[in-house]
Short mmCIF file of all heavy atoms in Angstrom, two decimals:
data_model
loop_
_atom_site.label_atom_id
_atom_site.label_comp_id
_atom_site.label_asym_id
_atom_site.label_seq_id
_atom_site.Cartn_x
_atom_site.Cartn_y
_atom_site.Cartn_z
N ILE A 3 -4.20 -50.99 34.94
CA ILE A 3 -5.06 -51.67 33.95
C ILE A 3 -5.99 -50.68 33.28
O ILE A 3 -6.21 -50.69 32.07
CB ILE A 3 -5.86 -52.80 34.63
CG1 ILE A 3 -4.89 -53.89 35.15
CG2 ILE A 3 -6.88 -53.40 33.68
CD1 ILE A 3 -5.56 -54.99 35.93
N LYS A 10 -5.12 -48.16 24.93
CA LYS A 10 -5.43 -48.99 23.77
C LYS A 10 -6.65 -48.47 23.03
O LYS A 10 -6.71 -48.46 21.81
CB LYS A 10 -5.66 -50.42 24.22
CG LYS A 10 -4.38 -51.13 24.69
CD LYS A 10 -4.67 -52.56 25.10
CE LYS A 10 -3.38 -53.31 25.50
NZ LYS A 10 -3.67 -54.70 25.92
N PHE A 49 -3.40 -11.86 -8.25
CA PHE A 49 -3.77 -13.27 -8.20
C PHE A 49 -2.54 -14.16 -8.45
O PHE A 49 -2.66 -15.30 -8.90
CB PHE A 49 -4.85 -13.55 -9.24
CG PHE A 49 -5.98 -12.56 -9.19
CD1 PHE A 49 -6.20 -11.68 -10.25
CD2 PHE A 49 -6.80 -12.46 -8.08
CE1 PHE A 49 -7.23 -10.75 -10.20
CE2 PHE A 49 -7.83 -11.54 -8.02
CZ PHE A 49 -8.05 -10.67 -9.08
N ALA A 274 3.49 -6.05 -6.98
CA ALA A 274 4.01 -7.15 -6.15
C ALA A 274 4.56 -6.62 -4.83
O ALA A 274 4.33 -7.20 -3.76
CB ALA A 274 5.11 -7.89 -6.92
N GLU A 276 3.76 -3.78 -3.28
CA GLU A 276 2.68 -3.29 -2.44
C GLU A 276 1.85 -4.45 -1.88
O GLU A 276 1.39 -4.38 -0.73
CB GLU A 276 1.78 -2.34 -3.25
CG GLU A 276 2.46 -1.04 -3.66
CD GLU A 276 2.92 -0.25 -2.45
OE1 GLU A 276 2.12 -0.02 -1.54
OE2 GLU A 276 4.11 0.12 -2.42
N ILE A 299 -15.54 -6.73 11.44
CA ILE A 299 -16.00 -6.28 10.11
C ILE A 299 -17.52 -6.33 10.05
O ILE A 299 -18.17 -5.40 9.53
CB ILE A 299 -15.37 -7.16 9.01
CG1 ILE A 299 -13.83 -6.98 9.01
CG2 ILE A 299 -15.94 -6.81 7.65
CD1 ILE A 299 -13.11 -7.96 8.10
N LEU A 339 -5.20 -35.33 39.29
CA LEU A 339 -3.93 -34.67 39.61
C LEU A 339 -4.13 -33.55 40.62
O LEU A 339 -3.32 -33.36 41.53
CB LEU A 339 -3.30 -34.12 38.33
CG LEU A 339 -2.71 -35.15 37.38
CD1 LEU A 339 -2.22 -34.48 36.10
CD2 LEU A 339 -1.54 -35.90 38.03
N LEU A 340 -5.22 -32.78 40.47
CA LEU A 340 -5.50 -31.69 41.40
C LEU A 340 -5.69 -32.22 42.81
O LEU A 340 -5.19 -31.66 43.79
CB LEU A 340 -6.74 -30.93 40.94
CG LEU A 340 -7.18 -29.76 41.84
CD1 LEU A 340 -6.07 -28.72 41.96
CD2 LEU A 340 -8.45 -29.12 41.32
N ALA A 376 20.03 -3.55 60.96
CA ALA A 376 20.39 -3.33 62.36
C ALA A 376 19.17 -3.54 63.23
O ALA A 376 18.11 -2.97 62.97
CB ALA A 376 20.93 -1.92 62.53
N ARG A 382 12.16 1.23 78.71
CA ARG A 382 11.34 2.43 78.70
C ARG A 382 12.13 3.67 79.11
O ARG A 382 11.64 4.79 78.95
CB ARG A 382 10.15 2.25 79.63
CG ARG A 382 10.51 1.90 81.06
CD ARG A 382 9.25 1.66 81.84
NE ARG A 382 9.56 1.29 83.21
CZ ARG A 382 8.63 1.09 84.16
NH1 ARG A 382 7.35 1.21 83.83
NH2 ARG A 382 8.98 0.75 85.38
N THR A 387 19.09 -2.50 75.22
CA THR A 387 19.01 -3.85 75.78
C THR A 387 19.30 -4.94 74.76
O THR A 387 19.46 -6.11 75.12
CB THR A 387 17.60 -4.09 76.36
OG1 THR A 387 16.64 -3.93 75.32
CG2 THR A 387 17.31 -3.11 77.50
N SER A 432 -0.16 5.76 69.73
CA SER A 432 -0.92 5.00 68.73
C SER A 432 -0.80 3.50 68.90
O SER A 432 -1.68 2.76 68.46
CB SER A 432 -0.45 5.37 67.31
OG SER A 432 0.90 4.99 67.13
N VAL A 469 11.11 -0.44 73.50
CA VAL A 469 10.92 -0.33 72.05
C VAL A 469 11.92 -1.24 71.35
O VAL A 469 13.09 -1.32 71.76
CB VAL A 469 11.12 1.12 71.57
CG1 VAL A 469 11.04 1.21 70.04
CG2 VAL A 469 10.10 2.05 72.20
N THR A 539 -1.14 3.40 18.41
CA THR A 539 -0.53 4.56 17.76
C THR A 539 0.02 4.21 16.39
O THR A 539 0.74 5.01 15.80
CB THR A 539 0.60 5.14 18.63
OG1 THR A 539 1.71 4.22 18.66
CG2 THR A 539 0.13 5.38 20.05
N GLY A 651 10.80 -2.09 -31.26
CA GLY A 651 11.37 -1.03 -32.07
C GLY A 651 11.82 0.15 -31.22
O GLY A 651 11.25 0.43 -30.17
N ASP A 670 9.92 30.46 -23.02
CA ASP A 670 8.68 29.99 -22.38
C ASP A 670 7.80 29.29 -23.39
O ASP A 670 7.22 28.23 -23.11
CB ASP A 670 7.93 31.15 -21.74
CG ASP A 670 8.63 31.67 -20.49
OD1 ASP A 670 9.50 30.94 -19.97
OD2 ASP A 670 8.30 32.78 -20.05
N ALA A 694 10.60 8.95 -23.87
CA ALA A 694 11.60 9.63 -23.04
C ALA A 694 12.11 10.87 -23.76
O ALA A 694 12.08 10.96 -25.00
CB ALA A 694 12.76 8.68 -22.73
N GLU A 700 15.17 16.43 -28.61
CA GLU A 700 15.32 15.04 -29.01
C GLU A 700 14.51 14.14 -28.07
O GLU A 700 14.59 14.27 -26.84
CB GLU A 700 16.79 14.61 -28.97
CG GLU A 700 17.65 15.32 -30.03
CD GLU A 700 19.09 14.84 -29.98
OE1 GLU A 700 19.52 14.34 -28.92
OE2 GLU A 700 19.79 14.99 -31.00
N VAL A 703 11.38 6.71 -28.34
CA VAL A 703 10.21 5.89 -28.03
C VAL A 703 10.62 4.42 -28.16
O VAL A 703 11.22 4.04 -29.16
CB VAL A 703 9.03 6.20 -28.98
CG1 VAL A 703 7.85 5.27 -28.66
CG2 VAL A 703 8.61 7.65 -28.87
N SER A 763 21.57 7.33 -36.19
CA SER A 763 22.13 7.47 -37.53
C SER A 763 21.02 7.55 -38.58
O SER A 763 21.08 8.36 -39.51
CB SER A 763 23.06 6.29 -37.83
OG SER A 763 23.56 6.36 -39.14
N LYS A 773 13.85 16.06 -44.16
CA LYS A 773 13.10 16.11 -42.90
C LYS A 773 11.64 15.67 -43.07
O LYS A 773 11.22 15.26 -44.15
CB LYS A 773 13.16 17.51 -42.29
CG LYS A 773 14.57 18.05 -42.12
CD LYS A 773 14.58 19.47 -41.57
CE LYS A 773 16.01 20.00 -41.47
NZ LYS A 773 16.06 21.38 -40.96
#
Side-chain angles (χ1 to χ4, degrees):
I3 295 176
K10 290 181 177 179
F49 312 113
E276 293 300 309
I299 296 171
L339 287 175
L340 178 60
R382 57 184 179 176
T387 59
S432 64
V469 175
T539 69
D670 288 344
E700 293 181 336
V703 177
S763 177
K773 307 177 182 179

